[in-house]
Amino acid sequence: MSTETIWIGIGFLGQGLFFGRWLIQWIASERSSESRVPIAFWYMSLIGGLITLTYAIYRMDPVFISGQGLGSVVYLRNLVLIHRANQTKDPASPVA
């Protein structure tokens, strides 16, 4: 197996995860009968985006790099906002 074949596999893995996030979102929305964006959507976006970014860097594609790089910042920011909101809703009980 050549290095090129491995990198193509990495690229497809990233794209597969990135695509899979839409399936997660669709299933969650269908189950609740309204539009939902579960936290798994953001994790899959970030992981798939970072894997795809790695592939884009290997390919030295500035268009792909900028798109995936900026997208990853947005996905990470959404996860931070979700984490903060969850901490506000469920503050840890004080230790005695």
Side-chain angles (χ1 to χ4, degrees):
M1 185 176 294
S2 71
T3 302
E4 189 65 23
T5 303
I6 292 170
W7 275 108
I8 289 172
I10 290 169
F12 275 118
L13 173 64
Q15 284 299 106
L17 284 170
F18 202 71
F19 173 75
R21 71 196 183 130
W22 294 110
L23 293 175
I24 296 295
Q25 192 271 331
W26 179 37
I27 291 167
S29 294
E30 288 296 327
R31 285 184 178 165
S32 66
S33 297
E34 62 183 32
S35 183
R36 294 273 185 218
V37 181
I39 194 167
F41 176 91
W42 297 112
Y43 279 110
M44 288 181 74
S45 297
L46 180 62
I47 294 166
L50 289 174
I51 292 171
T52 306
L53 174 62
T54 303
Y55 177 74
I57 291 169
Y58 169 75
R59 290 284 182 190
M60 296 186 292
D61 184 329
V63 174
F64 209 13
I65 291 169
S66 62
Q68 289 300 322
L70 292 173
S72 295
V73 171
V74 173
Y75 310 141
L76 185 59
R77 179 64 178 154
N78 276 294
L79 286 167
V80 167
L81 292 172
I82 291 167
H83 178 70
R84 282 185 189 163
N86 288 342
Q87 281 185 333
T88 303
K89 289 179 192 172
D90 302 320
S93 29
V95 178

